Amino acid sequence: SSRSLLVSPSFPSGRRAMAGVAAGTSAEGLDEAAAALAAADWVLVAAGAGFSADSGLATYEECIASGLDYDALCRSELLYENPDAFYKFWCGGLRKYRETDRHEGYDILDRLLGERARAGRVHAYTSNVDGHFRRSAGFSVFEVHGCCEEWMCSSRIAYAAAELVRDRADQHDASLKGKDEPLEGERWVRVREAQKRITGSPCSRPRPLAVPRAWAPPEDQEVSLPQAAHCTRSDGDAAAAAGADWGRMPPLCGCGLPLRPCVLMFGDEDAALMRHLKAGEERYQEWEANMEEALEVSRGRLAILELGCGTRVQSIRQECEWVMRDAAARGADVTLIRVNPSDDPRLDKLLCEEGEDTGRTRLLRLRAGASDALREIERRGNTSIGSVKSP
């Protein structure tokens, strides 16, 4: 489909549900889920915060309840306003993600879907930034909000990618592509002024850099910005290409500016980050288009496995329902398996209850944690789940 996933789609209020609902975690419901997953020619795995929570990682709600001012810390401009707080927060997060063993559900997905994943018929779609899906060999993954395992130069924090600015009259003007526009507001003016004090030649096209596995930023060192240019080259892009300095805090781009996580933060419009995420979105949408075309020809089956997606941020659930509707409209039989232990009745129905009932969609609601549900699905599905079917 041509929709943008960087902007959550909205759903109109509707008249009737498209899919039948099977609620609960009964043996029958688990059997149906296992059968649907086993029969699927293509699989979309969509994971929200609840999926990471099964590994013991804190959710947004748990962070807030602990007294952490998450909203204030999760802002890109904080890097220049209070670098010590910024880096302690993000380096602490990266450290926690790396120290935490991912839960059994990831390995179960590998066993259930590995063969189809290697055939290009499985895609993971997640809002989690911990990078745990990256440990699954053969899985294609779109990390909607980016990943803490990648960092980039902060030179574009106070600039927007002109071609990605929403709701502008000339948004489709080809001349805008690659153009950066200064963001308005005092906070962004202060960021640009701070950057000029550090270097006169920032890189213009930051690229994601893999965080070295051996990098272990000190926990108790006070972090401050460099007072003068770390780089003496006049060409910031050439300097950046020479690599980053991970041997100091904060870590620096070759152009002299500090690095930031490749994670979409609150109010974040970093031009380089948004283009990076857009490229991931386009790869995912290409997979989706190929999937829908193949299912239109074969009249095959799609399973959407929605894991730990709640009601506070609904973008992952919305995407699952959009894919369900799009694939069903092309003639596919689609089962949406919604796994969430919450008793919230909003999870028992679709966000969008408007649309033609094609008879090709159904919603299976499993009230269970993701790891527990996957363990039961694997037990019921046996080894036949991993088979690849002809399209």
Side-chain angles (χ1 to χ4, degrees), residues 9-333:
S10 59
F11 285 78
S13 59
R15 297 182 296 275
R16 61 192 177 106
M18 289 175 55
V21 177
T25 53
S26 65
E28 181 182 359
L30 289 164
D31 287 341
E32 287 187 50
L37 202 56
D41 302 291
W42 296 72
V43 181
L44 173 63
V45 179
F51 194 59
S52 285
D54 276 8
S55 296
L57 295 172
T59 63
Y60 173 85
E61 290 80 6
E62 289 169 341
C63 288
I64 298 300
S66 72
L68 184 70
D69 194 352
Y70 192 94
D71 290 12
L73 292 168
C74 190
R75 293 188 177 275
S76 60
E77 67 270 26
L78 187 67
L79 188 161
Y80 288 93
E81 295 173 352
N82 188 340
D84 188 58
F86 181 88
Y87 283 103
K88 280 184 169 54
F89 176 71
W90 286 106
C91 291
L94 176 64
R95 190 180 302 109
K96 179 68 174 176
Y97 296 152
R98 286 183 164 183
E99 290 173 352
T100 300
D101 292 329
R102 64 180 199 169
H103 62 75
E104 181 187 6
Y106 290 95
D107 294 329
I108 295 173
L109 287 174
D110 288 346
R111 293 194 293 269
L112 297 183
L113 306 176
E115 194 173 343
R116 276 172 287 182
R118 290 186 289 275
R121 299 185 195 166
V122 177
H123 210 294
Y125 179 100
T126 182
S127 58
N128 299 328
V129 301
D130 51 38
H132 286 191
F133 265 110
R134 296 184 174 208
R135 304 177 196 175
S136 296
F139 265 64
S140 297
V141 57
F142 174 34
E143 294 156 317
V144 183
H145 296 152
C147 180
C148 267
E149 288 290 348
E150 292 179 334
W151 289 37
M152 63 169 37
C153 181
S154 60
S155 67
R156 301 293 94 188
I157 276 181
Y159 298 84
E163 74 274 18
L164 299 179
V165 174
R166 300 189 293 271
D167 302 326
R168 60 183 299 163
D170 58 349
Q171 185 174 10
H172 301 294
D173 185 342
S175 67
L176 294 176
K177 189 172 180 62
K179 181 181 178 182
D180 293 351
E181 297 179 338
L183 292 170
E184 298 179 356
E186 283 301 315
R187 58 179 172 158
W188 303 119
V189 171
R190 290 194 296 270
V191 167
R192 289 190 288 269
E193 290 174 347
Q195 291 175 336
K196 288 177 183 178
R197 289 193 293 269
I198 296 171
T199 180
S201 184
C203 64
S204 62
R205 289 291 177 266
R207 58 188 178 86
L209 303 170
V211 180
R213 291 299 302 178
W215 187 53
E219 299 182 42
D220 54 357
Q221 177 182 335
E222 185 173 351
V223 182
S224 59
L225 295 176
Q227 297 302 306
H230 178 68
C231 169
T232 58
R233 298 190 192 184
S234 59
D235 185 343
D237 288 317
D245 183 356
W246 296 96
R248 55 173 295 149
M249 271 305 280
L252 298 182
C253 173
C255 77
L257 291 179
L259 301 181
R260 59 156 295 171
C262 291
V263 172
L264 187 65
M265 304 179 195
F266 296 128
D268 203 347
E269 295 190 62
D270 184 315
L273 175 63
M274 296 302 287
R275 291 191 181 104
H276 170 58
L277 296 178
K278 183 65 176 178
E281 170 189 290
E282 290 173 350
R283 289 190 294 271
Y284 162 71
Q285 289 189 322
E286 181 181 7
W287 176 87
E288 183 190 346
N290 291 337
M291 173 266 292
E292 291 173 1
E293 289 173 9
L295 289 174
E296 183 175 30
V297 172
S298 67
R299 288 298 192 265
R301 298 180 179 89
L302 168 67
I304 303 173
L305 192 54
E306 181 192 292
L307 303 165
C309 302
T311 56
R312 191 186 70 83
V313 178
Q314 304 188 85
S315 56
I316 305 297
R317 289 170 55 212
Q318 289 172 340
E319 174 62 14
C320 290
E321 294 185 19
W322 272 110
V323 173
M324 180 173 71
R325 292 178 59 169
D326 290 348
R330 303 284 286 271
D333 290 322

